[in-house]
Amino acid sequence: KAFSYSLENLNLVDKTPTDITVVPNGVIRGNFTKNEVTVSDVFTNFSLGIGPDNLAGYPLVTMYLYPSEIKAACEIDCSLGKIQHVLQMYIHGVGYEYNSYRLPFNQVSDCFKINQLGEKELLENNKLYKVVADMYTAKMIGNVLDMTKGLIKIVPKKANGEPIQNFEDEIVYYYTENGEKRELKGWYAIVNYFENADEIADFREIQNNAVIKKNSLNPIQLVKNPSTIGMILYAVIGLLIIGITFIVIAIVKRKKNHKKLGI
């Protein structure tokens, strides 16, 4: 929410509206108390890394993803986040439904956009959605793809759909009151939010409704909207069932033939 607020209210160089913001647990170094939060608190908890400007903190970067890739990112949060806590993600602007009875890496059954009022909206299949995360998170996508051997596919793109080659070219910049152009650091986006937000109860309410657990053993619910991994696993299981069926039929026929021949 802090990222989204700052992206909407700071004087950005690129004023294209942001659809989704992402923060993985791995870049957060601590918690904020319910008491007064200082700039020092935010900096201590979110100043990991350094940007091309040689100042502390990773800058925010922009990427564009298709709905299928957004769903894959939600699957990383749902499945891999349970295995490696650092991969758990806090996603603003999108939500998902999942069924923990489904196969691993295939638990997300539905993914949807969440508007500023907390209302669900359908994701348009062929539309590229603007996603903003810190540079560490953006570069981490490659590691996740390696972990899943490429079965989870996410290709960060530019606004024109071309794959991003260098995330330094996608850094989010803003102008200060003096007209100075600066990298928008993740920690500064959070500071800016706390300085201007009266309360965050509305965010808690919306975010609590963003991830919906819908456990069901209904066969349709177990297989609907499968991921790439899910389709592969279902295909393998289907081939195994067909193979076993043919073997059983062959054995039964053989026994019948033996009986006819008196063997």
Side-chain angles (χ1 to χ4, degrees):
K1 176 64 177 181
F3 284 3
S4 296
Y5 177 86
S6 292
L7 290 165
E8 291 171 4
N9 292 278
L10 289 174
N11 185 17
L12 301 185
V13 174
D14 177 7
K15 299 184 183 299
T16 307
T18 299
D19 297 301
I20 302 164
T21 53
V22 181
V23 180
N25 199 50
V27 302
I28 302 173
R29 294 299 183 235
N31 299 315
F32 299 128
T33 66
K34 292 183 180 180
N35 300 318
E36 182 180 3
V37 177
T38 66
V39 173
S40 177
D41 292 332
V42 176
F43 185 80
T44 299
N45 293 336
F46 210 84
S47 59
L48 183 68
I50 191 170
D53 59 2
N54 292 320
L55 297 178
Y58 285 117
L60 300 185
V61 298
T62 295
M63 69 185 85
Y64 286 81
L65 301 176
Y66 286 113
S68 60
E69 295 171 313
I70 295 171
K71 184 172 180 283
C74 292
E75 191 65 65
I76 292 172
D77 176 54
C78 185
S79 294
L80 285 179
K82 297 174 184 176
I83 301 171
Q84 294 193 30
H85 189 53
V86 295
L87 294 178
Q88 181 183 5
M89 292 186 288
Y90 302 98
I91 307 173
H92 184 258
V94 72
Y96 64 87
E97 295 179 359
Y98 74 99
N99 184 348
S100 61
Y101 293 146
R102 288 164 61 117
L103 296 170
F105 305 109
N106 185 48
Q107 295 188 350
V108 176
S109 58
D110 191 22
C111 188
F112 45 84
K113 184 82 172 63
I114 299 179
N115 63 27
Q116 293 181 345
L117 299 176
E119 300 167 336
K120 297 179 184 179
E121 297 178 354
L122 292 176
L123 291 168
E124 300 177 31
N125 288 332
N126 297 319
K127 179 180 177 180
L128 281 170
Y129 287 87
K130 184 177 179 180
V131 181
V132 172
D134 67 280
M135 187 175 287
Y136 175 86
T137 303
K139 290 182 176 180
M140 187 179 69
I141 290 175
N143 296 331
V144 172
L145 298 183
D146 291 339
M147 290 172 62
T148 63
K149 305 302 180 182
L151 292 177
I152 290 182
K153 295 183 179 180
I154 302 175
V155 180
K157 304 168 189 64
K158 299 180 180 181
N160 60 8
E162 295 180 1
I164 294 173
Q165 302 298 330
N166 186 356
F167 277 107
E168 290 190 6
D169 297 333
E170 311 305 321
I171 291 175
V172 178
Y173 290 95
Y174 73 101
Y175 293 110
T176 66
E177 293 181 355
N178 297 326
E180 181 183 356
K181 181 181 174 181
R182 290 184 182 177
E183 294 178 12
L184 178 54
K185 307 287 188 178
W187 67 264
Y188 181 74
I190 298 173
V191 168
N192 180 65
Y193 173 65
F194 278 128
E195 286 180 340
N196 294 280
D198 295 326
E199 59 182 47
I200 59 174
D202 60 329
F203 164 61
R204 289 196 187 106
E205 182 179 349
I206 291 174
Q207 197 65 14
N208 287 340
N209 294 325
V211 179
I212 303 171
K213 185 176 183 179
K214 284 193 172 182
N215 281 354
S216 174
L217 292 173
N218 183 308
I220 295 176
Q221 297 302 320
L222 290 175
V223 300
K224 83 169 191 176
N225 299 331
S227 64
T228 300
I229 294 178
M231 287 189 287
I232 292 172
L233 291 174
Y234 292 147
V236 171
I237 292 171
L239 289 173
L240 286 173
I241 292 173
I242 292 172
I244 292 171
T245 301
F246 276 116
I247 291 172
V248 171
I249 292 173
I251 292 173
V252 171
K253 284 184 176 180
R254 186 176 180 182
K255 286 184 177 181
K256 287 182 178 179
N257 291 334
H258 285 178
K259 285 183 180 180
K260 288 180 180 180
L261 295 173
I263 299 176

